[in-house]
Amino acid sequence: MDAVTTDVTEARPLERRVDTVLRVGPSDGGDFLLAIESQSGKDEEKAFSWAYYVAYLRAKFRLPVLLLVVCQDPTTAKWASGPFDCAARGWTAQRTYPLVARPDNLPKITDMRTAAKNLALAVLSALAHARSADCEAILRALTAALEEIRDTDPETADYFIDFLEISLGNTPAGQKLKEIMSFVSYFPGRGTVRETAYLEGKAEGKAEGRAEGRAEGRAEGKAEGKAEGKAEGKVEGKVEDRASLILRVLEKHGVPVPEETRERITSCTDLDTLALWFDRSLTATAAGDLFAEDPEGPGAGPGQG
């Protein structure tokens, strides 16, 4: 028997991000957290990360945690149902039971009014049915519903669109979503997730900045809306947030990130470079794809971008 350190503090922070976490306050009971993960295939590492998510969120917020995993096929759904045990010598210390949403237990929401009344359910429907023939109809109903509510609740609309784009990634459904969004009036010129708009709006102060400030600045006019967009960019456009999103997209696409690459991304302070890396992360198959055309080469030092 060997002694193991009793210090469970992580000396170096690691990127661990749930796809999305919602605090639910039902009328018939106490609040709880709903942690949602979109899973396109079997991944043995999730047995560890899902248990961590549940334990961490429960300890941090002192609330019950329900883990919802959205799957697109029966094989993945069967595996994701678990349970995932932390056990030794016949004794189980921790057991994780995800609640699995899959095509056969989620409705296909293709009506805009229905989607508007049940936005969260419509988003889950789009993820679960991403490989079905009805995927485009589901996405069109959902984006139309989000466009309708954006004037009154822009944060919710933006939140769900970002969640969808990151979860669907560069899949055929993700590409279809981008095609649909390119014709939606409230995101002119949108080709990637809103993070790119933030970076460009903050760096150039042009159309994207106005779009972000329009919700609060429309009444005061275009100039104030543009200023509001820049202000939001200052809050949400922090370098560390951009770097975190790049790492998150790579993780969702199953791209391994060596420690040297992680350090290079997190230490970069140039917003234009981070925007470029983010765009590349959407289609990257290896971490080195982010820097393929950078003049510095993969060995560039921290802070050079």
Side-chain angles (χ1 to χ4, degrees), residues 20 119 123 142-143 145-166 177 181 184 186-188 190 192-195 197-198 208-216 232 236:
T20 194
L119 275 178
V123 171
L142 179 54
T143 51
L146 291 170
E147 181 178 12
E148 185 174 82
I149 73 162
R150 193 172 192 276
D151 283 341
T152 56
D153 193 355
E155 290 186 3
T156 297
D158 291 344
Y159 179 88
F160 280 125
I161 280 294
D162 286 351
F163 173 49
L164 267 178
E165 287 190 310
I166 293 175
L177 177 65
M181 291 304 299
V184 176
Y186 63 80
F187 279 125
R190 184 186 177 105
T192 59
V193 298
R194 186 163 51 97
E195 295 291 336
Y198 278 142
E208 291 83 356
R210 290 197 302 272
E212 293 302 321
R214 186 175 60 178
E216 296 183 13
E232 184 176 354
E236 301 195 49

Side-chain angles (χ1 to χ4, degrees), residues 278-301:
F278 173 78
D279 286 341
R280 291 177 180 174
S281 73
L282 296 173
T283 56
T285 57
D289 293 346
L290 269 63
F291 322 118
E293 300 175 8
D294 286 4
E296 298 93 337

Side-chain angles (χ1 to χ4, degrees), residues 16 72 78 90 102 116 121 125 150 166 174 187 226 268 299:
R16 289 191 176 100
Q72 300 170 357
K78 182 178 180 180
R102 54 191 188 274
L121 183 62
S125 173
R150 193 172 192 276
I166 293 175
F187 279 125
K226 180 177 178 181
C268 179

